[in-house]
Amino acid sequence: MRQNRLRQEAARAVVSGIIMAMAYQLCAMAGRRPVIQAAGARTGVRAVELGQGIWLLPITRALRAGWGAAGAMPFGQTFLFLSAEIEAIACQVSRIGLVAYLEAEIFGGAGDQAAVAWRDGEVCLGPVTTQGWVQEPSNSAQWPFNRALRELGVARGDAFDEFDAVGLGKHRHTEDWLKAD
C-alpha cells in the first residue's frame, strides 16, 4: 500500500522522466540504426544509441541555423523546429524503415511534446501534440513521444513509460546528446 502511494507521488513529481521544476528541450529524429545512420549521413550529425535498438539523431541549433529559418513549416504551428529540410530527410530515410521526429520544449512542468512518424515516404503517425491538454502521469501512454516510441517497437517493461525505457531523460537539451559521456 505504502509503495503504491510513493509510486503515485513520484509519478506526480516526474513527467515522463522529467523533473517538473527543470527545463527539457529536444529536437531529434529517432529510429533503428540503419535509418538514423542514413539521416546522419545526410546531415553530418553523429547518431546516438539509446536503448532497445533505438538510435537518436539530435537536430541541433547549429544544424537548424545552417538550413536557415525561412521556408515552409510542413505541419503549420504544430512544431517549432520541424523544417521542410528535416521533413524531406525523414521522408527519404523512411524508405529504409520507420523514422520519428520528436520535439519538446518544457520548463517548470509547462510546455509541449510533439511527434510525427514516417514509413515508406508517408506520414504514418500524427502529427500528435500535447498542445491544449494536460500532461498527467496517468495519461502518459498518449503522450506524443511514447506513441512514437511504441510505433518504433519500444516496450515499456518495468519503466514508467517508453520515454524512460529508452533513456530519453538522460539529457535535458538537444546539444547535450552529442557531448561525450
Side-chain angles (χ1 to χ4, degrees), residues 87-105:
E87 181 192 33
I89 292 168
C91 283
Q92 291 168 0
V93 300
S94 75
R95 295 184 190 292
I96 300 167
L98 182 70
V99 64
Y101 172 80
L102 309 172
E103 183 177 296
E105 287 280 335

Side-chain angles (χ1 to χ4, degrees), residues 8 12 26 48-49 56 59 73 102-103 110 122 128 140 152 154 178:
Q8 288 172 346
R12 280 189 219 100
L26 182 67
V48 179
E49 187 174 10
L56 189 74
I59 307 294
M73 300 302 281
L102 309 172
E103 183 177 296
E122 300 290 330
V128 290
S140 69
L152 290 166
V154 171
L178 295 174

Side-chain angles (χ1 to χ4, degrees), residues 82-181:
L82 178 57
S83 65
E85 291 87 355
I86 297 169
E87 181 192 33
I89 292 168
C91 283
Q92 291 168 0
V93 300
S94 75
R95 295 184 190 292
I96 300 167
L98 182 70
V99 64
Y101 172 80
L102 309 172
E103 183 177 296
E105 287 280 335
I106 300 170
F107 184 78
D112 295 308
Q113 272 188 23
V116 62
W118 293 263
R119 180 182 287 119
D120 297 321
E122 300 290 330
V123 171
C124 64
L125 173 71
V128 290
T129 180
T130 58
Q131 292 173 357
W133 56 277
V134 179
Q135 296 179 63
E136 294 288 338
S138 63
N139 70 359
S140 69
Q142 297 306 312
W143 295 349
F145 282 18
N146 291 332
R147 289 180 62 187
L149 291 168
R150 277 195 307 278
E151 283 288 319
L152 290 166
V154 171
R156 182 179 68 118
D158 292 334
F160 175 75
D161 59 9
E162 292 82 2
F163 179 103
D164 282 342
V166 296
L168 276 175
K170 181 177 180 181
H171 299 291
R172 298 196 179 285
H173 303 284
T174 300
E175 281 72 15
D176 294 344
W177 284 99
L178 295 174
K179 294 177 183 174
D181 286 329

